[in-house]
């Protein structure tokens, strides 16, 4: 089970910077595109950490490992970064599936845009953490990532924004490591459909208002 995250802060550059921490009672089978703990494997925790929009470290995995160490987190886990104030996380649930999203859509871009974003362009980040209460097979977990992404894109379209996401979006999907493995995670599968609905609701609701980056807010 992945329970609600704990909101805490860490001292950095003279400021208290927020981060969210999920702790699992037992290791969860996880697929993730996060800079720390990405890929497929057993994970014990997830961290989603706010950083300033000026963030320029070229070692985000090492930075996240340092944060995890400061929190006393043991074993393998997942670490994500965002310019959004993670205190504004949006949680949604559907039929046992749970989704948490921090939604930054300041400058959404089309995935197949003909030219890259201009240097210095503000892009924001959408981080999505999901939990399915039943074991998914490895292929189903990969399919679940696609389902989460499709639902995110649908929500962005419903918001009337001209893009499919941001260049720094990340997805993490967790499930129990034991039990019969469900073979499918697509949007018309039993668990994929619930994932899609919960993600769509979280991203749509999280992106409906004006999201001010955390560092812009504290600078005011």
């Amino acid at each position: 089970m992945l329970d609600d995250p704990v909101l805490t802060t860490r001292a950095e550059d003279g400021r208290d910077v927020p981060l969210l921490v999920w702790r699992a009672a037992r290791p969860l089978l996880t697929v993730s595109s996060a800079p720390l703990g990405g890929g497929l494997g057993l994970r014990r925790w997830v961290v989603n950490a706010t950083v300033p929009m000026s963030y320029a470290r070229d070692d985000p995995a090492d930075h996240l490992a340092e944060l995890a160490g400061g929190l006393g987190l043991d074993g393998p886990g997942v670490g994500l970064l965002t310019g959004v104030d993670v205190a504004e996380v949006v949680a949604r649930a559907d039929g046992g599936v749970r989704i948490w999203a921090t939604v930054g859509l300041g400058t959404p871009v089309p995935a197949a845009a003909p030219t890259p974003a201009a240097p210095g362009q503000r892009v924001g980040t959408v981080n999505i953490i999901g939990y399915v209460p039943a074991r998914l097979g490895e292929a189903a977990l990969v399919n679940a990532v696609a389902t989460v992404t499709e639902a995110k894109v649908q929500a962005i379209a419903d918001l009337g924004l001209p893009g499919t996401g941001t260049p720094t979006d990340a997805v993490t999907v967790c499930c129990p490591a034991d039990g019969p493995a469900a073979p499918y995670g697509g949007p018309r599968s039993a668990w994929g459909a619930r994932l899609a609905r919960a993600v769509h609701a979280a991203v749509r609701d999280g992106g409906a208002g004006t999201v001010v980056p955390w560092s812009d807010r504290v600078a005011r």
Side-chain angles (χ1 to χ4, degrees):
M1 179 68 179
L2 197 63
D3 291 324
D4 285 327
V6 173
L7 177 65
T8 185
T9 62
R10 85 271 185 183
E12 199 166 277
D13 297 329
R15 295 184 290 189
D16 291 329
V17 190
L19 68 163
L20 291 171
V21 185
W22 291 257
R23 291 178 171 89
R26 300 177 62 186
L28 298 173
L29 183 59
T30 301
V31 62
S32 179
S33 62
L36 176 67
L40 182 67
L42 295 176
R43 305 288 184 262
R44 294 180 174 273
W45 48 264
V46 179
V47 168
N48 190 15
T50 295
V51 292
M53 293 298 287
S54 59
Y55 187 80
R57 287 187 61 157
D58 59 3
D59 59 346
D62 291 341
H63 184 200
L64 284 159
E66 293 167 7
L67 297 181
L71 293 165
L73 298 172
D74 297 322
V78 172
L80 309 96
L81 298 172
T82 177
V84 174
D85 184 344
V86 295
E88 297 179 352
V89 63
V90 178
R92 296 291 180 267
D94 191 300
V97 168
R98 306 191 72 190
I99 291 294
W100 299 269
T102 49
V103 184
L105 288 168
T107 310
V109 297
T115 56
Q121 185 175 3
R122 299 169 69 86
V123 294
T125 297
V126 180
N127 283 341
I128 299 172
I129 295 94
Y131 173 76
V132 176
R135 165 79 184 277
L136 299 180
E138 292 186 359
L141 275 169
V142 174
N143 204 356
V145 172
T147 296
V148 167
T149 304
E150 289 174 16
K152 176 192 73 175
V153 173
Q154 181 184 347
I156 292 171
D158 289 348
L159 290 167
L161 299 174
T164 56
T166 86
T168 53
D169 291 354
V171 174
T172 299
V173 179
C174 309
C175 70
D178 302 319
Y184 306 115
R188 289 300 171 263
S189 68
W191 293 111
R194 299 169 194 179
L195 267 174
R197 290 191 294 264
V199 169
H200 178 264
V203 175
R204 178 199 61 205
D205 296 348
T210 300
V211 178
V212 178
W214 172 83
S215 53
D216 288 4
R217 183 179 303 154
V218 299
R220 291 179 177 179

